[in-house]
Amino acid sequence: MSRAWPSARRWEEACPGNVAGKARALTAIGPMTGGWKLWGLRLAFWARRHVGWFRRSRVKKLRELSFIYYARWALIDGLPGGEGGTGTKLDPPYLYFESNFNGGFEEYIDAFAYVIRLEMKVIFGGVRGFVGPTPATPFKRFIRGHDYECEHYYCAYPEATSTDIAQAVSVRDAFKQLPRDAEPEAFARSWRDFLTKAQAWL
Amino acid sequence: MSASDPNAAIGGRVYALTVLAAIRPECRARVRAALRALPRRRSPFADVEGTHFARLVIVDELVGRPAPGRQFLLFSAVFDGLTAEDRDVYAERVCKAAPPVVDGVLACCYGQPSANDPEGFAAWLAARQIETLAFYFDADATVAEVREALALRERVRAFARETQYAAAPELRERFRRAFPAVAP
């Protein structure tokens, strides 16, 4: 491992560039081992893209966690050269993982380690030096050892968590159904029904 | 279409742009200074319509490899869009609305055109783009929709508190006054 050992300080304190209001930026890049694990990863991502039930099952768990706004994975096959294109081929490639989430880094990785353990094994299992998702402490050290601090990080809604956004969208959708032209009594009933439905989102 | 461009979220309306570019050696010191000079409270990306998230990262070493002796700049963004054409339009918006990013930071990279050349900048980004393997999103909404929904929720919350004892005719009238534009 060529990068400096992660700081003992909390991730948010050690890397303030990764913080924008309630949003946090995780940017991890690590070398794959190649072989069947790399092909397993490619197959899993292919299935995620092309097999609806597989994708929905993966997404469902992440949505239940409800603290990730956006996340992405990619493979870096080469480092760009001076004039563009691939300057240095990376074989096997490097895995790129980026997440925009809210809450603490510790809780975030804990949830990854214990709630979507199998997915973590598939995704990071092929990265050199992966220690497994549990216990979570070595896994956190592994992630921090591959994490880069943002020099600049922007979030369009820094005061909202991903849960806030999902709830606000649900409120909006339910609100649109209110019959504003109904008679007063009918409208009042609809309003009460709306509040009953939306109270958990407000 | 969302299904054909791997960088677009399946079933969503957002695009994941990931760009890795080599930094010119003579700019090594300048690039970090230029990045830190970008205002954090009022990021230039706030003026680039449709940007949900954006980040700029210097990659100066890679785990498992000897120090490359070179630096790379990682630029990533999540924005409203679905296609490569949307990406090019976004690049033009970045040129127009965030010249400190294009001419101050990205200008430290090889071959990067100035903000005065949006088409060239779009082509430059495309040539250095890393294809997304998987892209997860939580809520399917544009930036404008997210902001509107958050604001609406606040207003609904306040309205519910204020009208909890209102009789039906008053409730409807106050509702019509409070939500003239957003009510269907």
Side-chain angles (χ1 to χ4, degrees):
Chain A
M1 192 174 286
S2 64
R3 303 194 70 219
W5 195 247
S7 164
R9 288 188 296 159
R10 284 179 65 237
W11 180 80
E12 290 83 353
E13 291 167 3
C15 308
N18 293 339
V19 176
K22 291 180 178 170
R24 308 282 183 266
L26 179 64
T27 313
I29 303 174
M32 298 294 295
T33 51
W36 67 270
K37 285 184 175 173
L38 174 59
W39 284 105
L41 179 73
R42 286 190 196 274
L43 181 64
F45 282 136
W46 181 90
R48 194 184 185 282
R49 175 151 196 84
H50 296 285
V51 183
W53 67 264
F54 182 80
R55 178 175 59 253
R56 284 190 290 276
S57 68
R58 302 297 88 133
V59 166
K60 187 169 178 274
K61 283 187 180 176
L62 285 176
R63 292 220 168 111
E64 283 168 0
L65 292 176
S66 189
F67 53 56
I68 304 170
Y69 308 89
Y70 296 101
R72 78 182 73 167
W73 295 262
L75 286 173
I76 303 175
D77 294 315
L79 297 172
E83 299 306 322
T86 299
T88 309
K89 193 167 168 52
L90 296 175
D91 187 18
Y94 275 62
L95 179 69
Y96 174 76
F97 171 59
E98 166 188 318
S99 177
N100 300 282
F101 65 100
N102 58 259
F105 172 83
E106 298 279 325
E107 295 79 18
Y108 179 68
I109 301 298
D110 278 340
F112 266 17
Y114 292 105
V115 181
I116 49 171
R117 211 167 92 178
L118 178 65
E119 287 82 350
M120 289 298 96
K121 279 185 177 174
V122 172
I123 291 171
F124 291 108
V127 177
R128 219 178 297 157
F130 180 63
V131 290
T134 52
T137 301
F139 183 43
K140 287 171 193 167
R141 201 177 298 139
F142 169 80
I143 295 287
R144 288 185 69 166
H146 294 77
D147 179 39
Y148 293 79
E149 183 178 1
C150 293
E151 296 292 337
H152 187 77
Y153 182 45
Y154 168 73
C155 170
Y157 23 80
E159 298 313 317
T161 65
S162 60
T163 302
D164 286 332
I165 294 166
Q167 289 178 340
V169 169
S170 298
V171 168
R172 178 201 64 187
D173 292 345
F175 183 87
K176 281 182 182 171
Q177 308 303 318
L178 283 168
R180 70 184 261 111
D181 295 324
E183 291 302 310
E185 292 299 332
F187 176 80
R189 273 195 304 277
S190 299
W191 175 251
R192 281 194 298 274
D193 291 345
F194 163 76
L195 286 183
T196 303
K197 186 177 177 184
Q199 60 182 337
W201 307 326
L202 291 169
Chain B
M1 300 299 290
S2 61
S4 61
D5 192 321
N7 303 294
I10 298 171
R13 290 169 288 166
V14 280
Y15 189 97
L17 176 68
T18 315
V19 171
L20 190 64
I23 296 171
R24 286 186 278 126
E26 65 272 24
C27 288
R28 280 178 156 214
R30 208 182 93 199
V31 68
R32 211 176 284 272
L35 279 161
R36 294 198 170 156
L38 294 177
R40 292 199 63 185
R41 283 193 179 276
R42 177 66 191 168
S43 166
F45 288 103
D47 297 322
V48 183
E49 189 191 329
T51 309
H52 291 259
F53 288 90
R55 70 182 69 184
L56 291 156
V57 179
I58 292 176
V59 178
D60 46 12
E61 54 181 333
L62 287 170
V63 172
R65 286 182 71 86
R70 293 184 290 157
Q71 281 185 329
F72 304 93
L73 187 68
L74 177 84
F75 167 42
S76 97
V78 177
F79 60 86
D80 296 330
L82 284 173
T83 63
E85 289 74 32
D86 294 334
R87 177 202 60 207
D88 293 347
V89 171
Y90 181 74
E92 289 179 26
R93 274 193 239 133
V94 174
C95 280
K96 211 176 278 180
V101 172
V102 181
D103 288 338
V105 176
L106 296 175
C108 295
C109 300
Y110 280 106
Q112 193 266 316
S114 85
N116 295 325
D117 179 10
E119 279 183 26
F121 180 64
W124 183 85
L125 282 184
R128 287 154 183 81
Q129 183 173 9
I130 295 169
E131 189 175 286
T132 307
L133 272 182
F135 184 21
Y136 167 81
F137 68 94
D138 190 46
D140 176 30
T142 64
V143 173
E145 287 170 352
V146 169
R147 288 178 173 152
E148 281 167 20
L150 289 167
L152 176 66
R153 188 173 73 148
E154 287 305 309
R155 290 171 60 205
V156 169
R157 195 184 278 164
F159 182 80
R161 267 197 307 265
E162 289 161 9
T163 59
Q164 55 187 321
Y165 303 114
E170 183 195 351
L171 175 68
R172 194 189 65 171
E173 283 318 300
R174 288 180 68 175
F175 178 86
R176 286 178 170 180
R177 280 201 304 273
F179 302 102
V182 289

